[in-house]
Amino acid sequence: MTAVLALDIGGTTFAAAVVDATGAVLARRELPVGPDPTATLGVLVRELAVPGLTGAGIGSAGPVDPVRGTVSPVNIPAWRGFPLTATVSGLLGGLPVALAGDAQCMALGEWWRGARGEDTRVLLGVVVSTGVGGGLVVDGVPYLGPTGNAGHIGHMPSPALPGDAGAEPCPCGGTGCVETIASGTSMARWALAGGWRPAPGAGRDARALAASARAGDPVAVAAFDRAARALAGALLSAAALCDVDRVVIGGGVAAAGETLLGPLRRAVAAGAGMGFLRRLTVEPTALGRDAGLYGAAALALHPPAALTREESLPLHPLDAF
């Protein structure tokens, strides 16, 4: 039996799973990043390094450099040019390790094991969490780009929104990125500055903000509407450029469900001018929090760099797997 280790490296949580070639999850664990992300990584890998693994796949918050095997996640300051591939390979006794962005892996996981739709040719996966990331899968092949960073819609400039005083600086070094409006962290910060007060005993994060929005709190509702409009602008720009069929939304903030997806779909519909943009669908991931793990497993089972395009088509459990 072929099995690989899949790792999902987020800004808040690290997750890992052992996945076989059929897509069955044999073991799973996750931990908060904590003050020492390298130590957290070591704990996860050692716990799941079962005998018989043939390799590992990693989906990481970016930027990533798959050629060098390094990552510099915006929301993990301790990792700048961190040799993630070599570190994981060393922990696994030298096994091969494949690396891609976390949203790219989420998109690939959705293509492989999710409800991508039979007519989908171009799928855009978007992670809305501590940050905002994206990834493209074209005809079953993840499009990584020359540097491995294709799909970073969170760091596209956000359209000007009515009532906003001006563009905010982004942790990436830019100004006015979509992430400064639509990430869970940014949404909660904006709402708190606007007078939102979480319910007694609740946190001050996007989860508490979603609960307030569902209860009708006007500032919380406005925060989700504002985020949806920023995201819609990025999705429509990506769709206009790449002729995307389907957008799949994942990440912690996507757990808000229709609180986010409702205004997002309305904003996409309102902004879609050309006919081919009006065919764009926006759905939550069918795989929930495990979409990135499935994609990381797919990377390890069929590393894109080691395959021709023909060998990679189509990446689907009924065909390639």
Side-chain angles (χ1 to χ4, degrees):
M1 179 185 66
T2 299
V4 296
L5 179 66
L7 291 163
D8 186 5
I9 304 298
T12 305
T13 303
F14 290 174
V18 177
V19 183
D20 72 14
T22 71
V25 175
L26 308 180
R28 190 189 186 286
R29 179 81 194 280
E30 65 179 70
L31 292 171
V33 174
D36 187 343
T38 306
T40 302
L41 175 70
V43 170
L44 273 181
V45 173
R46 291 187 186 96
E47 285 191 4
L48 295 183
V50 298
L53 291 177
T54 60
I58 307 172
S60 175
V64 301
D65 186 338
V67 176
R68 294 183 174 84
T70 60
V71 300
S72 302
V74 171
N75 294 300
I76 307 179
W79 280 4
R80 291 294 175 265
F82 179 73
L84 182 57
T85 296
T87 300
V88 172
S89 181
L91 290 167
L92 294 175
L95 289 178
V97 178
L99 171 67
D102 57 349
Q104 290 158 337
C105 282
M106 187 272 275
L108 184 56
E110 188 69 26
W111 182 284
W112 178 32
R113 299 296 298 174
R116 64 178 170 89
E118 290 302 319
D119 296 331
T120 300
R121 295 284 307 278
V122 182
L123 184 146
L124 172 64
V126 179
V127 174
V128 186
S129 186
T130 310
V132 177
L136 283 165
V137 179
V138 182
D139 286 333
V141 180
Y143 178 71
L144 306 181
T147 69
N149 288 286
H152 265 295
I153 69 164
H155 299 286
M156 293 168 58
S158 174
L161 299 178
D164 277 10
E168 295 182 24
C170 180
C172 76
T175 301
C177 297
V178 169
E179 187 169 299
T180 66
I181 295 175
S183 73
T185 306
S186 298
M187 291 168 61
R189 183 178 64 247
W190 182 86
L192 286 165
W196 169 58
R197 295 296 175 263
R204 296 161 63 88
D205 55 11
R207 180 179 298 182
L209 185 67
S212 293
R214 286 192 292 269
D217 182 288
V219 178
V221 170
F224 274 91
D225 182 67
R226 179 174 178 264
R229 284 180 287 148
L231 275 173
L235 298 184
L236 288 168
S237 294
L241 183 65
C242 301
D243 200 5
V244 175
D245 300 296
R246 185 179 183 90
V247 175
V248 177
I249 306 291
V253 179
E258 286 302 308
T259 303
L260 173 66
L261 293 174
L264 178 57
R265 290 192 184 105
R266 291 192 291 272
V268 167
M274 292 181 285
F276 77 95
L277 292 178
R278 291 195 291 272
R279 54 186 271 282
L280 183 68
T281 64
V282 180
E283 303 293 338
T285 173
L287 301 173
R289 297 170 62 188
D290 286 342
L293 287 172
Y294 279 113
L299 274 183
L301 291 163
H302 287 259
L307 297 175
T308 65
R309 180 176 172 81
E310 289 74 21
E311 287 172 325
S312 297
L313 288 174
L315 191 56
H316 190 272
L318 298 181
D319 301 302
F321 288 87

